[in-house]
Amino acid sequence: ECCRTVLNLGNNRIKGVDSLEFADLGPGEGLLWRESEAKIYVAPASNANNVEGALRLDAHPDHGVRINSVTHISGGLNVVDGPGFFSRVNALVAELEVVTATNVNVARINGPNDRVDVNANLYLNGNVHLDDNTSFIGVIRTGGLSVASDANVQGDLTARNLEATASVIAAGNV
């Protein structure tokens, strides 16, 4: 160990301190807890000593760091090597470059005027179930389309083959 003890408080408190100043930067400096891996220090990602870096919160991997109240982050949040779980994220706006998800249950996706704008191709593999009052604006291309209930088409309907298992009612030519 580099330094000698000059103050031993015998497990007693310090009260009324205006500030604490640490002489060195690095993972071996800062606030450390005896018999724990928990610590708060300043160091770059490489954990170099005496080099300016980010404020770091470290803990044993099995315990992690827990924030027990609402946390406000200004300036953005950059998640590296992603978390395994977010239980709740509230954001007015989230700009995501890539979202990869498995087994996602979404109660509602909404946007202005109850619309979600997709400004690129949207590829859906497997069954897509659309409930009542679902409408499409623009061209829909599909390898197959099955309509389980009434369908209302306003405009042209073009198909190579059109099969009806019940009656077809038309106000004009069929």
Side-chain angles (χ1 to χ4, degrees), residues 2-158:
C2 75
C3 307
R4 61 185 176 92
T5 301
V6 294
L7 177 63
N8 186 340
L9 297 176
N11 201 27
N12 290 301
R13 293 184 178 101
I14 298 176
K15 287 180 78 174
V17 174
D18 182 66
S19 66
L20 294 174
E21 182 180 303
F22 297 90
D24 296 315
L25 302 166
E29 317 296 337
L31 299 176
L32 306 124
W33 282 260
R34 183 178 37 225
E35 299 177 17
S36 173
E37 292 182 34
K39 55 186 169 179
I40 301 172
Y41 61 98
V42 173
S46 66
N47 274 338
N49 281 316
N50 299 322
V51 178
E52 178 66 44
L55 177 65
R56 311 270 298 271
L57 304 174
D58 278 2
H60 188 280
D62 292 342
H63 302 129
V65 175
R66 180 178 296 267
I67 300 172
N68 292 322
S69 61
V70 174
T71 304
H72 301 275
I73 298 172
S74 57
L77 173 65
N78 183 13
V79 179
V80 179
D81 295 332
F85 178 72
F86 277 121
S87 64
R88 184 175 145 184
V89 176
N90 286 335
L92 294 177
V93 175
E95 294 182 17
L96 308 169
E97 290 182 24
V98 175
V99 175
T100 302
T102 304
N103 297 326
V104 176
N105 293 312
V106 178
R108 179 177 170 92
I109 298 176
N110 63 339
N113 301 317
D114 285 328
R115 291 188 178 179
V116 175
D117 292 326
V118 177
N119 295 313
N121 293 325
L122 178 62
Y123 295 95
L124 304 171
N125 296 309
N127 294 325
V128 177
H129 300 274
L130 304 172
D131 290 330
D132 295 340
N133 299 320
T134 300
S135 60
F136 290 96
I137 300 169
V139 176
I140 300 171
R141 289 185 292 273
T142 178
L145 180 62
S146 173
V147 179
S149 184
D150 295 339
N152 181 1
V153 177
Q154 297 175 0
D156 295 336
L157 175 62
T158 304

